[in-house]
Structures are given as C-alpha cells and as structure tokens.
Amino acid sequence: MNKITNHLPTAELQAIDAAHHMHPFTADGELKQKGARVITSASGVYLKDSEGEEVLDAMAGLWCVNIGYGRDELADVAARQMRELPYYNTFFQTTHVPAIALAQKLAELAPGDLNHVFYANGGSDANDTNIRMVRTYWAEKGQPERDVIISRWNAYHGSTVGGTSLGGMKGMHGQGSLPIPGIEFIDQPHWWAEGGDTTPEEFGLERAQQLEAKINEVGADKVAAFIAEPVQGAGGVIIAPDTYWPEIQRICDKYDILLIADEVICGFGRTGNWFGSQTVGITPDIMTIAKGLSSGYAPIGGSIVNDKVAAVLAATEFNHGYTYSGHPVACAVALENLRIIEEEKIVDHVRDVAAPYLAEKWHSLADHPMVGETKIVGLMASLALTPNKETRAAFASDAGTVGYITRECSFGNNLIMRHVGDRMIIAPPLVITTAEIDILIERARKSLDQAYEKVKAQGLFVEA
Ligand code: PXG
C-alpha cells in the first residue's frame, strides 16, 4: 500500500518519543523497547494511527471526548477567541465574556443551588482547590479544626499532590510521601471483589455505614467533607449497590459534612443525566468538573459550588487561583461544547438510545467463559474477568496479568478497551451510534475469545 503521510515514519517518531518524551503513568524503559502507538488524527469515535489503522476509541480518549472527535465548530470558536482575546486573567477584579458566559451556563445546567464556578485547568487541580476551599469554609465558620476530608480506597481524584492524597490508590501514595495530613479513607462499594457472602444490598449499606463509623472515630467536629465519584471510573467502573448512596447522603446530612461529588468522569452526560449526582440521587455541596466539560478539546476544569459554601467564601479573600483559571479560549471551547451537547440532545441520546442498546449487548458478554459480572451505567461499563463465575474467584496470577492480555488482544483488534487489574472497562464517546456499538461488541467478544485461549495456553486459567 502506498501511504502518503505528512510526518516522519513511525519508527523514527517512536525513537524520538523514546529519547525525549516522559509519558504519564508509564514505565518508560519498557515503552522504549516496544514503541508508543502514534495517533495522528481522529473523527467521530475513530482514531487513526501513523500506520493508517483505524481504531474504535471505546475510552473517548481518557473518558473525555464526549461529543466525539473532529467537530470543527470547536476549532472555529477557539480560533475566533484567540484572535479576539487570547488571554486575560480573572484575578484583581477583572473578568471576561467567555468566563462569564460559561459560569452562567454551568449554573443553569448544574442541579439545585450549585450556582458558582471556580475555574481550574483540569480535574486534579480542581480537587486541590476543593481541599483548600472546604478547609477555608470551616475556618471561616469558626471551626478551623474541622479539616479532615474522608475519601475512599481505590478512588481516583487526580495526580497532583492534593489529587493523589484524596485518591485512594496506594501505589500512587507510595510515590511522593502522600497523602498529605488530614485525609482519611473508607472502603469502596465494590461488591464483586469485596462483598464476600453478603448480598449487594447488604454490602452497599455496610460500606456506606463505614462513613458514619469513620466520622465517629475522627470526631464529627473534625470532619470537613466527604469526597467521592458517583461512579468510580479509573478504579474500574465500580457501580455502587442501590442501597449505598441514600445512606451516604443521610450520613453527610446528619453530621453536616460537606459532600464533594467528583464529576470529572460522570459529568456532562456520561451516566445518562447531565451529572452523575443526578443518576445516583445525591445533592453535593461541590462538584468537581473537567474532561467532558470541553470534551477534551481544551484543558479546563473547575468546582461548581452551592450557595451555602459560596456565601461563606465570599466573606473572605480566598488566596487561591491559577494563571489559567477561566482561560478565555478554554471557556469559549467549553461553552461551544455544551451548546452542541444541548442542541444535539446528546444526553437524551445516551439515556434513550445508546445506553440501553449498549447495556443489552454488554450484558450478553456475560455468557463468555472468562466473564463474571457485567456492569454498566449510561455509557460507562465494566466486566470482571474470572476463572470461576460462581465463586467470583480472582486469578492466581498477579492482578492485572489476565486483564493486560485481554487489553493487548483488544488493541490488536483496533478497539481501545482498557483493563484495571482484571476488570475490562469502556467509556465510548457519547455520540456513538448503535451500528458502532455493534462493532465495539464484536471486537470485544473476539478479544475475549483470543485472550481466553492465551490465558489457558499459558496455564493462567487458575483460581487464586
Ligand atoms: N477526578 C476524577 C474522577 C478523574 O477521573 C481526575 C479527577 C483528574 O483530572 P485531570 O484532568 O487532572 O487528569 C480524574 C482523571 C485512567 C485515567 O487511566 C483517569 C483519569 C486521568 C488519567 C487516567 O483511567 N481521570
């Protein structure tokens, strides 16, 4: 095949990448041997790589390209905004039209009295903002000792010092002497892996009640906030049993604990509502947003804050902010993205068309000999790989060995389906069509079949 490209040959790009580019969450030494896959362009739900392969991106980039790739409207808006006002800050009593318009739109879209926006560049630094914000809130209310934030093991809240501290990934804590002081953890509502002999309903309640136990252990007068993802994303698309969230809300209300919903993945349609909080039925005081806010076309995140918290903060000077808080180009791009989501009724498409269709197909994978539970909410789904569906056994091999084999088969079949340990996850662009879902499922099943053969051949189909 004669391929005309506008870039260096893949091997040369990979060599330069290996020489000079440090990748996030990557063992660079290992990657240097293998060479990174070079993505050159994208359209809709498909990526194209430097070898001309078309790859179905069932992860929407990193859970963010909600409206799909290749929307010229966003490029046009960015170019227009760069010409008109490429940058100005919102410190020192100034503002600008994109920041104003986006804040108004977010206040309109966010439920209840979540009416105030503090801008960040992404989800990690927005969560850093949240740490300082909730502690400042209680200090301003005359309770500075109320500074403990409770989070959950296996949560992901970013990889800055604050984000890593709030997250419950032990491997991350180990790098950089984290968490910072004043962060406490309870267990996650992950029934498949940790539910033992309980029913999911009993287990959901038990795990929620750990919050009450932790509050009592720390002392209610010391606890500032509880932070959680409505659905854990990076942790493996862990969907809590139905009993979980009502109990969490009851406990937060009872002890007057601020509830921070980290909507970085769940926000902007992913779960079939504008926000995951609506899907799980909670009323947060603060929502962390990023990713789908701009569909990944520009780096932007932030905190949407309710009237109660905003009123207290307004009484003082909150000495916090980033050079690019409310960056005009990012705000303009986000606003255009939200216009598209609204006008094209993309949240309705998720709820009424794509999610029900994907759910039926995803659950059909449960008949595969290596698949245990299949879970899905909106357009985020996971499945457990297991050598024994009945006992929910883990594999004897190191966690992630079988998942990685399955991921490699999937990538080989031009499907971006990821693994978290021995759990496979997807979160495709929200605009995915039913025909594209058929292709996704066909490739996923083929990958599971290939992986199953490899796992057996390598003697790995063995219970722990
Ligand atoms: N909160 C949540 C719930 C997230 O999923 C962040 C905060 C941090 O956002 P930024 O924009 O700072 O990255 C995230 C990000 C993965 C993966 O491998 C997930 C994320 C980021 C990178 C990789 O699943 N989530």
Side-chain angles (χ1 to χ4, degrees):
M1 185 180 67
N2 281 327
K3 212 159 32 73
I4 300 169
T5 59
N6 62 352
H7 53 74
L8 294 169
T10 302
E12 282 182 49
L13 289 170
Q14 288 172 328
I16 299 168
D17 187 74
H20 301 296
H21 180 194
M22 299 170 80
H23 289 248
F25 284 88
T26 300
D28 272 325
E30 223 175 285
L31 182 63
K32 281 189 207 319
Q33 308 300 318
K34 190 177 169 192
R37 187 171 203 164
V38 183
I39 305 299
T40 50
S41 63
S43 175
V45 300
Y46 286 101
L47 308 168
K48 197 173 264 181
D49 72 13
S50 55
E51 294 297 289
E53 294 285 347
E54 281 214 329
V55 185
L56 200 166
D57 182 10
M59 284 306 300
L62 274 180
W63 325 75
C64 54
V65 188
N66 288 11
I67 63 168
Y69 297 95
R71 293 296 304 247
D72 286 342
E73 300 93 321
L74 273 64
D76 294 343
V77 159
R80 206 184 314 141
Q81 186 59 47
M82 276 201 193
R83 291 200 171 90
E84 194 166 310
L85 180 70
Y87 177 75
Y88 201 71
N89 70 73
T90 52
F91 291 44
F92 313 125
Q93 306 184 356
T94 56
T95 189
H96 51 67
V97 176
I100 296 168
L102 181 60
Q104 180 186 35
K105 188 76 216 171
L106 288 169
E108 179 197 318
L109 292 173
D113 65 350
L114 289 157
N115 287 324
H116 314 269
V117 182
F118 196 104
Y119 290 114
N121 308 299
S124 302
D125 52 326
N127 278 326
D128 284 40
T129 297
N130 292 338
I131 294 174
R132 299 196 60 208
M133 194 181 272
V134 299
R135 288 177 171 173
T136 303
Y137 170 84
W138 287 113
E140 283 303 307
K141 282 177 69 83
Q143 295 175 258
E145 67 289 349
R146 218 168 155 155
D147 68 349
V148 172
I149 302 171
I150 301 175
S151 179
R152 307 184 296 179
W153 293 118
N154 200 36
Y156 189 81
H157 297 297
S159 79
T160 51
V161 166
T164 303
S165 295
L166 289 175
M169 308 254 170
K170 289 182 183 158
M172 289 176 71
H173 289 170
Q175 295 176 322
S177 305
L178 300 171
I180 58 169
I183 314 291
E184 296 280 338
F185 295 90
I186 60 173
D187 290 319
Q188 59 177 339
H190 187 359
W191 177 79
W192 174 267
E194 301 174 7
D197 294 333
T198 59
T199 65
E201 292 70 29
E202 290 165 352
F203 181 72
L205 214 52
E206 241 175 54
R207 286 285 154 108
Q209 285 164 358
Q210 278 195 12
L211 177 60
E212 189 154 28
K214 182 60 81 176
I215 291 167
N216 288 323
E217 179 194 318
V218 173
D221 56 347
K222 301 273 191 314
V223 180
F226 174 64
I227 183 165
E229 303 150 88
V231 177
Q232 286 159 263
V237 185
I238 311 301
I239 302 166
D242 291 343
T243 47
Y244 182 77
W245 284 107
E247 185 68 359
I248 291 285
Q249 182 73 61
R250 180 191 70 75
I251 294 165
C252 288
D253 292 346
K254 178 174 172 189
Y255 296 96
D256 199 15
I257 306 293
L258 295 176
L259 176 57
I260 307 170
D262 187 335
E263 295 270 4
V264 167
I265 284 177
C266 293
F268 307 103
R270 174 60 59 198
T271 67
N273 285 298
W274 273 94
F275 296 96
S277 296
Q278 296 162 318
T279 300
V280 302
I282 53 172
T283 310
D285 298 284
I286 299 174
M287 296 197 312
T288 320
I289 55 169
K291 294 193 190 273
L293 168 58
S294 66
S295 283
Y297 281 64
I300 182 168
S303 308
I304 313 185
V305 180
N306 71 6
D307 291 345
K308 176 177 94 172
V309 175
V312 170
L313 283 165
T316 185
E317 182 173 328
F318 185 36
N319 295 309
H320 179 77
Y322 310 107
T323 300
Y324 301 131
S325 286
H327 190 285
V329 177
C331 286
V333 168
L335 199 59
E336 181 66 2
N337 171 61
L338 298 180
R339 183 193 68 73
I340 287 174
I341 296 177
E342 263 195 314
E343 286 187 13
E344 298 183 6
K345 300 192 180 344
I346 290 173
V347 182
D348 295 354
H349 168 74
V350 173
R351 187 183 52 240
D352 301 335
V353 181
Y357 192 78
L358 179 62
E360 191 193 323
K361 304 273 165 180
W362 190 251
H363 288 312
S364 78
L365 296 172
D367 67 4
H368 191 277
M370 199 163 64
V371 175
E373 71 167 2
T374 47
K375 298 287 279 183
I376 180 166
V377 57
L379 287 181
M380 56 195 299
S382 57
L383 57 81
L385 300 173
T386 177
N388 189 331
K389 293 164 185 272
E390 269 63 55
T391 61
R392 318 202 305 267
F395 289 98
S397 44
D398 289 344
T401 307
V402 174
Y404 183 74
I405 291 170
T406 310
R407 185 193 86 154
E408 289 299 277
C409 291
S410 176
F411 283 19
N413 291 319
N414 284 348
L415 172 69
I416 304 287
M417 171 170 71
R418 297 237 321 265
H419 79 111
V420 177
D422 291 323
R423 220 175 158 81
M424 305 311 296
I425 58 170
I426 56 165
L430 306 186
V431 294
I432 193 167
T433 63
T434 52
E436 288 162 344
I437 289 172
D438 286 341
I439 298 169
L440 188 167
I441 293 294
E442 186 193 309
R443 292 184 187 177
R445 185 174 279 281
K446 185 173 166 197
S447 307
L448 287 164
D449 286 344
Q450 292 169 341
Y452 182 46
E453 292 309 320
K454 285 191 182 179
V455 167
K456 281 191 301 187
Q458 292 176 33
L460 294 172
F461 200 73
V462 177
E463 293 180 32

